[in-house]
Amino acid sequence: MVRSKSDGKSRAWPIILMLMLAAGAVALLILFFPRLEGKAPVVAFSDFNPAIGTSSSFTVSVSDDKSGLRHVWMALLVDGREVVLADESYTAPVSEKDFNLTIEPGAMDLPDGPALLRISVTDNAARNWLKGNLTYLEQAVTIDTRKPDVSVISRQHYVNQGGAGLVVYRVAEPGTTHGVLVGDNFFPGHQGVFSDKTLCLALFAVDHRQGKDTPLLVSATDAAGNTAKTGFYYLIKPKTFPKDVLTISDTFLNLKMPEFDLPEEPASLLDKFVTINSAERKRNVEKIVSLCRTSDSALHWKGDFIRLPNAAPRAGFADQREYVYNGKTVSHSVHMGIDLASLANAEVPAANAGRVVFADWIGIFGKTVVIDHGCGLFSMYSHLSTMDVTPGKMVERGTPIGRTGMTGMAAGDHLHFGMMVHGTFVNPLEWWDAAWITNNITSKIEAVADLPRL
């Protein structure tokens, strides 16, 4: 039996068709399979604050690195009303998109109170009957456009230029950041000293460079960014600070400069001194300021502060120092403490009770101990030969903390004693004066009846 060519062709067609269908199915699967991915779009927030004030801005970033974004919708549900913030669909592939949102309740006629931020994002995946993968989230927010209620309790605040003061005030709204503004300098207030948790106190300082016209205000900012400021009665007494000329000798340079290491060694010992007295001093002061940024919300101290016994003052607070070498002025600085000289290696007492926050070497100040006395008040003891305390240790008034020396850039054995209010140096003479403390600090605290007398 002889087969015809047409019979062979007719039998081959089904096979060819099946192969074509299979190839098409594979091609379709290759093209379609990626769209079967099940990874949902990603939603991320930047600068988001769930407390919304008079104008709150934040960024919502959405992305899908598989099939791309299809639809993004965002809305705010407030008091049963839905306010659409974003509603976008994409025909061309979009893998990521940032939405910079600004919510202004006043312009949007939104009342204060709880609200709900809703976000829905779908991608181009073939999942869910071609509807795509869905990311849906709800974020509770609170609309608050009212300023905090702040009222000053203490009266008549007399402050010296380069000195300290205290204000007692009330902040009714919890969760606020509050304190005293002295010009551009902010001094945080503290709660917890009084049994009434709405009562706050703030120690503040007028920098030695700030004059009698420096504005003083109590400021409070709530979680939504609403800020209230209120003034209070005060008088800044202007002060002038003495000038002092110090002669730099070769003996001093040969004695002290080898103790300091710099990234690049200057050409001469004099150049090294000038660098240390400027750039190194600046870094060292910044270190001290950083140690005073946080403080215990408790008054550890009581009464006047002790000065080094049987010691004579050798340099005053805020002395304007001019350094002269071979008859030529080579450098300047401001002396932010009081130098006290006694016997060599004299025992140094803690000026008052507090918690040791630092006991180590600080550049030009040498071996240094810093004590937190609470509510932003710190004392500093420098150029020590020995340190007998460690960070974290609580000390009582008069506890020995070390001995005097000449570490750092000290030409002779003495104690450099400083007082700081949240990192601003103030005149220690005030804190050695029991009458000044009573009139300017403790009387204002004791006027609040629920605090035991200090």
Side-chain angles (χ1 to χ4, degrees), residues 24-42:
V26 170
L28 185 61
L29 188 61
I30 290 172
L31 293 173
F32 190 73
F33 183 76
R35 296 192 59 203
L36 292 175
E37 55 92 10
K39 182 181 178 182
V42 176

Side-chain angles (χ1 to χ4, degrees), residues 253 256-284 361-364 409:
L253 295 176
K256 303 304 296 186
M257 291 306 100
E259 298 180 12
F260 293 88
D261 294 323
L262 296 177
E264 294 183 9
E265 195 68 18
S268 68
L269 292 180
L270 179 61
D271 291 338
K272 188 171 185 178
F273 166 78
V274 172
T275 299
I276 292 169
N277 199 45
S278 55
E280 181 69 9
R281 179 183 293 275
K282 183 175 183 293
R283 284 191 293 268
N284 298 159
W361 190 286
I362 303 183
I364 65 169
M409 204 156 64

Side-chain angles (χ1 to χ4, degrees), residues 74-85:
M74 303 180 193
L76 198 62
L77 182 64
V78 185
D79 201 21
R81 181 164 65 95
E82 191 173 75
V83 179
V84 176
L85 305 175

Side-chain angles (χ1 to χ4, degrees), residues 3 25 28 39 41 74 76 104 108 122 139 166 168 176 179 186 246 275 290 295 305 337 342 351 374 434 439 441:
R3 292 182 178 175
L28 185 61
K39 182 181 178 182
M74 303 180 193
L76 198 62
E104 297 179 332
M108 297 176 175
T122 56
Q139 170 67 52
L166 180 137
V168 179
T176 60
F186 180 71
L246 300 180
T275 299
S290 70
S295 178
F305 283 61
S342 180
N439 294 333
I441 306 297

Side-chain angles (χ1 to χ4, degrees), residues 45-121:
F45 292 88
S46 298
D47 302 320
F48 177 72
N49 183 354
I52 296 174
T54 54
S55 180
S56 295
S57 298
F58 57 94
T59 299
V60 181
S61 299
V62 296
S63 62
D64 190 283
D65 58 2
K66 295 294 184 180
S67 56
L69 301 170
R70 174 185 291 181
H71 183 238
V72 178
W73 175 87
M74 303 180 193
L76 198 62
L77 182 64
V78 185
D79 201 21
R81 181 164 65 95
E82 191 173 75
V83 179
V84 176
L85 305 175
D87 189 1
E88 292 187 4
S89 298
Y90 310 99
T91 54
V94 175
S95 59
E96 59 183 358
K97 182 71 181 290
D98 290 339
F99 291 85
N100 300 313
L101 303 179
T102 297
I103 298 176
E104 297 179 332
M108 297 176 175
D109 194 26
L110 303 178
D112 281 12
L116 199 62
L117 175 63
R118 292 174 169 174
I119 299 176
S120 172
V121 184

